[in-house]
Amino acid sequence: MAKGRPGTYAHSRRRRGTVVNSSQTMEEINFFQKLPLELVHMILDNLSGVLFKRCTMLLPTKERLKCVMYTFSQVPCFLQDSCSQPNCIGFFRYGIFLQTLIAGWDDLECQKVFSFLCEVTNLLRKIEAVTTNGKPGLKCNEELELRYFCRKVLLDLSPHPSECRFWLLQLLRPWPLVSQAHLLLILYGPQLATGPISWQDLVEEVLPRNALVDLAKSIILVFNNPQNKKSSIQSTLAIFEEITVIPQEWHVHNIARLLVLCGHKLCYIILANKVQSGQITSVATIIVFIILVFEKDYNKMNWVVNLVKQLHRSFSISGQKLTFIRLLEYKCSDVMAQYLSTYANGNRDENGETLLTASQLLTAIGRFHANILEGLLE
């Protein structure tokens, strides 16, 4: 059997020293291999989780691959050209089966499994249909079918982030960056509790933190690819730029929240890249909303202050540093004025969200400046 990846079931078995080497176990293996594949499938389908794992480990890699192929060739829903009611629970069951069977396999063997799944389910054609040939939300059933299959079979059950990254990169790799961004949103974008992906909410609404957590985690996985760090950074920058204009340019509050969820390091890299490309005004606006996000979600400003200091130091010319600070101050007052103007003109939501946000922003800006001044006095 090929060498198992860290974090997999087979890897942990070897670490504990439970090597299959007794004559009794070899007899079990020989008996198990003699059974028809259909019968093996029926037996495994009715075993408890522990017994299931033990019995599947008795099969050599080649036989387990046959078992994977047989099982997924029988998937009733995803083999069809369309699916009016994607079966999330059914896909989850196949996901448990797959992750158990491939425990301990190396990347090359898992790539064979992925290639087979693409072939038997027309996975690549389905991805193409909703990313390169489809407007977001136009094929909502196909989007949900793709989301449920990829996440419940390949991604969500991966026992370690490195394995989830492996499957995610397999899904993204065949496509241009704009399609990769579209696919990430299909897989991890905000979704209505009982409905389709919330495409327009990204543009028109201020989304809560939990609506963007999964998307941020997927971006971090792409960014932290250890095999090609430099390429990963460039890909992540491009993907982020594409994501935040699908289906149109996002509400800036959602962009700010996604950046915060991506972590300080990645947030800085993305904003510094925008600065280098001349988007200083855009960066200043985003920072104002990052200040607001921290007031709403975390109630502290050190994170934002450190971010601004880093960006300030990234300018090589003193005149640019001064321009950046002036733009940031201007945007603080400008965004505040927009909220107050909206409220004063009678555009008032029923729950008073506009006035509440203006109040939170005023408090946040005050706390932000207080932290900066405290740093100067230290």
Side-chain angles (χ1 to χ4, degrees):
M1 181 180 295
K3 184 178 180 181
R5 289 168 288 167
T8 62
Y9 175 75
H11 182 81
S12 63
R13 285 179 76 249
R14 280 192 296 279
R15 200 166 52 225
R16 291 194 300 266
T18 54
V19 181
V20 179
N21 57 9
S22 69
S23 58
Q24 181 179 359
T25 305
M26 290 305 297
E27 290 176 3
E28 293 175 354
I29 294 175
N30 291 333
F31 170 77
F32 205 63
Q33 291 183 34
K34 291 177 181 178
L35 295 176
L37 192 57
E38 293 83 355
L39 184 56
V40 171
H41 173 70
M42 293 174 63
I43 293 172
L44 297 179
D45 201 36
N46 289 279
L47 288 176
S48 67
V50 175
L51 285 175
F52 181 80
K53 288 185 177 181
R54 177 169 175 77
C55 288
T56 53
M57 291 306 296
L58 296 176
L59 284 170
T61 299
K62 186 176 180 180
E63 295 304 314
R64 282 197 280 164
L65 181 58
K66 289 181 180 178
C67 201
V68 170
M69 292 179 175
Y70 173 79
T71 300
F72 281 89
S73 67
Q74 308 301 313
V75 178
C77 175
F78 208 71
L79 296 178
Q80 302 172 10
D81 288 335
S82 63
C83 178
S84 59
Q85 294 182 330
N87 188 346
C88 181
I89 296 176
F91 290 146
F92 181 76
R93 176 171 166 262
Y94 285 111
I96 294 175
F97 181 87
L98 176 67
Q99 295 299 332
T100 302
L101 279 175
I102 66 173
W105 290 13
D106 64 17
D107 287 353
L108 184 59
E109 291 166 334
C110 289
Q111 285 172 353
K112 293 179 181 178
V113 172
F114 181 77
S115 296
F116 169 75
L117 289 179
C118 290
E119 179 182 347
V120 75
T121 63
N122 286 321
L123 181 58
L124 297 183
R125 181 179 62 80
K126 291 173 183 288
I127 292 175
E128 182 180 24
V130 295
T131 57
T132 61
N133 298 328
K135 182 180 178 181
L138 184 63
K139 301 178 180 179
C140 58
N141 285 331
E142 289 85 349
E143 289 173 352
L144 288 181
E145 178 187 17
L146 187 62
R147 181 187 184 104
Y148 290 155
F149 180 84
C150 292
R151 289 193 59 171
K152 300 306 177 184
V153 174
L154 297 174
L155 299 168
D156 289 0
L157 293 173
S158 297
H160 192 272
S162 63
E163 299 198 18
C164 184
R165 180 187 300 110
F166 169 82
W167 294 115
L168 184 59
L169 292 178
Q170 295 302 309
L171 290 165
L172 296 176
R173 191 169 288 123
W175 311 108
L177 290 171
V178 62
S179 296
Q180 291 184 29
H182 194 162
L183 180 56
L184 276 177
L185 276 171
I186 289 174
L187 297 177
Y188 292 106
Q191 180 185 9
L192 297 174
T194 57
I197 298 168
S198 310
W199 293 107
Q200 282 304 122
D201 286 353
L202 290 163
V203 179
E204 300 171 358
E205 304 292 333
V206 174
L207 295 174
R209 180 181 183 276
N210 59 7
L212 296 171
V213 168
D214 286 345
L215 181 60
K217 288 179 179 178
S218 71
I219 294 172
I220 292 170
L221 281 178
V222 175
F223 173 69
N224 287 330
N225 180 14
Q227 295 181 352
N228 195 339
K229 191 61 180 176
K230 184 176 180 180
S231 175
S232 297
I233 293 174
Q234 295 304 316
S235 296
T236 305
L237 290 171
I239 287 172
F240 190 92
E241 291 296 322
E242 294 291 348
I243 279 179
T244 52
V245 293
I246 298 175
Q248 292 112 33
E249 186 172 358
W250 285 17
H251 193 300
V252 66
H253 194 291
N254 296 330
I255 296 175
R257 177 164 270 136
L258 181 60
L259 280 168
V260 170
L261 290 170
C262 284
H264 190 279
K265 181 179 179 180
L266 184 52
C267 178
Y268 167 73
I269 290 174
I270 291 172
L271 292 183
N273 183 68
K274 286 180 176 290
V275 166
Q276 291 175 5
S277 61
Q279 302 177 57
I280 303 178
T281 303
S282 174
V283 170
T285 304
I286 291 171
I287 289 174
V288 174
F289 280 90
I290 288 178
I291 292 171
L292 179 58
V293 166
F294 265 86
E295 178 65 27
K296 287 183 175 182
D297 294 355
Y298 304 98
N299 200 32
K300 56 183 180 180
M301 286 297 151
N302 288 343
W303 196 98
V304 193
V305 170
N306 290 332
L307 175 66
V308 171
K309 287 180 178 178
Q310 274 188 284
L311 289 170
H312 184 262
R313 287 194 296 267
S314 70
F315 291 96
S316 57
I317 303 174
S318 59
Q320 292 178 331
K321 293 182 178 182
L322 182 59
T323 299
F324 172 64
I325 295 300
R326 285 175 174 172
L327 276 172
L328 182 56
E329 292 300 314
Y330 167 75
K331 281 299 176 182
C332 282
S333 60
D334 182 51
V335 174
M336 173 61 69
Q338 289 178 28
Y339 276 110
L340 293 177
S341 176
T342 298
Y343 184 81
N345 291 334
N347 298 322
R348 304 172 186 177
D349 37 41
E350 295 180 358
N351 57 5
E353 186 67 28
T354 300
L355 188 59
L356 175 61
T357 301
S359 175
Q360 289 174 324
L361 180 58
L362 182 61
T363 302
I365 292 172
R367 286 160 56 83
F368 171 74
H369 284 94
N371 272 264
I372 290 180
L373 290 174
E374 287 172 6
L376 292 175
L377 295 174
E378 288 178 354

